[in-house]
Amino acid sequence: MLETVELGKSFKGNTAVDNVSLYLEQGESVGLIGPNGAGKSTTISIISTLLLPTHGDVRLHGKSVIKHPQHIRQVLGVVPQEIALYEELSAYENLLFFGRLYKLKQPLLDRKIQELLELVGLRDRQKEQIKTYSGGMKRRINIAAALLHDPQLVIMDEPTVGIDPQSRSHILETVRLLNREKGTTVLYTSHYMEEVEQLCDRMYIMDHGKVIASGTKEELARILSNEDTISLQLDVNKAALTEEISRMEPVRQVEETKQGLKLIVDRQSRILSGVVQCAERHGVQLISMNVHTPSLEDVFLHLTGRTLRD
């Protein structure tokens, strides 16, 4: 349905997007993930025709979106990172305004508004001003605004950042409903790996403007098929300890956590006794040690050297 072809964007000589090629099939839910500054938002802005690329193309059903932007605008819904609503208007008035921008006529518009307010769980609050809403409620109305014209493709740019658990659960369920029951194609970015795992058929990992890995959850997990993850809980962490452990031959990656350290090591390596001895040398008490199969979060750390929330 949608593809980007060697997409690039530079700002004053700095490359934000570097030859990014990705595709979405009709009805797929695809995750686009990466640390802050990876180029995700710039890529999304180009796809949604808010920015022109320095080079490359975006194609919808084989037709260039760069040359014919109206082709995608008619079928695209965008849920931006920032709240894009009028605070002094009610939820109903906001949706009425955006529906008229889409040139929807009554009584269809009012029917769509009521349907979407029901979908996002805010029909009983529709007459209240947006400024009285919680952050999560505002984001739910943002989603409703993006769906008024029944878009074939919806881009959701970190729609659950900084919201309450109830709204987060409601938003995730809304995405599932759109994709699995209505067949809407979804491009979803998030700082929460568990969301992408739950919602997306495939995912692309970006870093420094490039796509560095892509595939299904199972395909990406195989990147670390020969490694284990070791989680260490320490009474205190010391930079010298972290540095020494990172130099051990079987260690592929070290991340500092709130509890201590997380190591990605070669599978079958006999490193545990060495770690214990190292902690003793540095006067650090090892409270617990857990060895487990690497998660997608561990794959991300291995590829980028950073956690998803960095």
Side-chain angles (χ1 to χ4, degrees):
M1 178 189 187
L2 179 81
E3 64 176 335
T4 69
V5 183
E6 296 184 355
L7 203 62
K9 182 65 178 179
S10 297
F11 298 95
K12 297 181 179 179
N14 296 316
T15 301
V17 175
D18 191 357
N19 292 315
V20 168
S21 295
L22 53 84
Y23 72 93
L24 284 80
E25 298 285 3
Q26 181 74 45
E28 266 195 314
S29 180
V30 174
L32 183 61
I33 58 178
N36 290 331
K40 306 184 302 297
S41 292
T42 303
T43 300
I44 285 173
S45 293
I46 295 171
I47 293 173
S48 55
T49 73
L50 295 176
L51 282 177
L52 285 172
T54 305
H55 61 80
D57 201 2
V58 180
R59 296 171 187 164
L60 182 68
H61 300 304
K63 190 172 183 179
S64 174
V65 166
I66 307 303
K67 295 178 181 177
H68 307 281
Q70 198 58 34
H71 186 55
I72 196 170
R73 290 173 184 170
Q74 294 171 346
V75 299
L76 175 66
V78 178
V79 182
Q81 278 189 42
E82 303 298 327
I83 302 297
L85 300 170
Y86 292 96
E87 294 274 323
E88 300 298 322
L89 299 182
S90 68
Y92 176 84
E93 290 167 335
N94 267 278
L95 295 180
L96 186 66
F97 171 78
F98 287 111
R100 287 173 176 168
L101 289 182
Y102 289 126
K103 299 182 180 180
L104 299 178
K105 305 294 185 184
Q106 296 289 13
L108 172 63
L109 176 54
D110 194 63
R111 187 164 67 248
K112 286 298 302 180
I113 290 173
Q114 297 306 319
E115 174 187 316
L116 289 167
L117 285 167
E118 187 70 33
L119 178 69
V120 299
L122 290 170
R123 190 169 184 174
D124 59 337
R125 305 284 298 273
Q126 62 180 290
K127 297 299 183 181
E128 298 174 26
Q129 289 178 304
I130 290 295
K131 67 181 181 182
T132 67
Y133 279 20
S134 68
M137 291 164 65
K138 290 176 182 178
R139 288 194 177 274
R140 284 149 68 182
I141 295 297
N142 242 15
I143 291 174
L147 301 177
L148 282 164
H149 58 308
D150 288 323
Q152 298 174 25
L153 169 65
V154 175
I155 296 176
M156 294 190 166
D157 193 4
E158 300 185 22
T160 63
V161 170
I163 64 173
D164 58 276
Q166 181 183 2
S167 287
R168 182 169 182 255
S169 177
H170 213 296
I171 287 172
L172 295 180
E173 189 55 41
T174 299
V175 177
R176 289 190 194 95
L177 180 67
L178 286 172
N179 178 240
R180 297 176 185 174
E181 296 188 20
K182 297 192 175 184
T184 306
T185 305
V186 177
L187 180 58
Y188 191 93
T189 81
S190 177
H191 270 182
Y192 304 103
M193 184 65 80
E194 64 272 18
E195 291 184 2
V196 179
E197 289 188 65
Q198 288 177 38
L199 298 174
C200 298
D201 304 308
R202 293 184 298 110
M203 58 196 79
Y204 291 86
I205 298 177
M206 287 188 70
D207 196 25
H208 300 296
K210 294 178 178 288
V211 171
I212 58 174
S214 64
T216 64
K217 179 172 66 174
E218 292 75 21
E219 288 168 343
L220 289 172
R222 284 200 288 271
I223 291 173
L224 290 181
S225 60
N226 295 318
E227 283 80 19
D228 281 324
T229 298
I230 302 175
S231 297
L232 307 176
Q233 185 177 357
L234 310 172
D235 66 336
V236 65
N237 201 3
K238 294 182 178 180
L241 171 65
T242 302
E243 185 177 347
E244 183 172 344
I245 288 177
S246 68
R247 291 199 303 266
M248 292 181 176
E249 187 175 340
V251 176
R252 295 287 170 259
Q253 199 81 40
V254 179
E255 179 199 7
E256 293 188 2
T257 66
K258 291 181 179 179
Q259 290 75 33
L261 295 173
K262 179 189 284 187
L263 318 179
I264 296 175
V265 304
D266 289 341
R267 187 160 291 173
Q268 308 301 333
S269 64
R270 298 183 177 182
I271 194 177
L272 299 184
S273 61
V275 169
V276 172
Q277 292 168 13
C278 185
E280 289 176 349
R281 282 197 300 274
H282 289 275
V284 175
Q285 182 182 353
L286 183 59
I287 299 171
S288 68
M289 180 183 298
N290 180 38
V291 181
H292 55 90
T293 302
S295 65
L296 277 184
E297 192 82 53
D298 298 327
V299 172
F300 188 90
L301 172 65
H302 171 72
L303 292 171
T304 68
R306 294 181 279 175
T307 61
L308 186 55
R309 294 171 182 81
D310 285 347

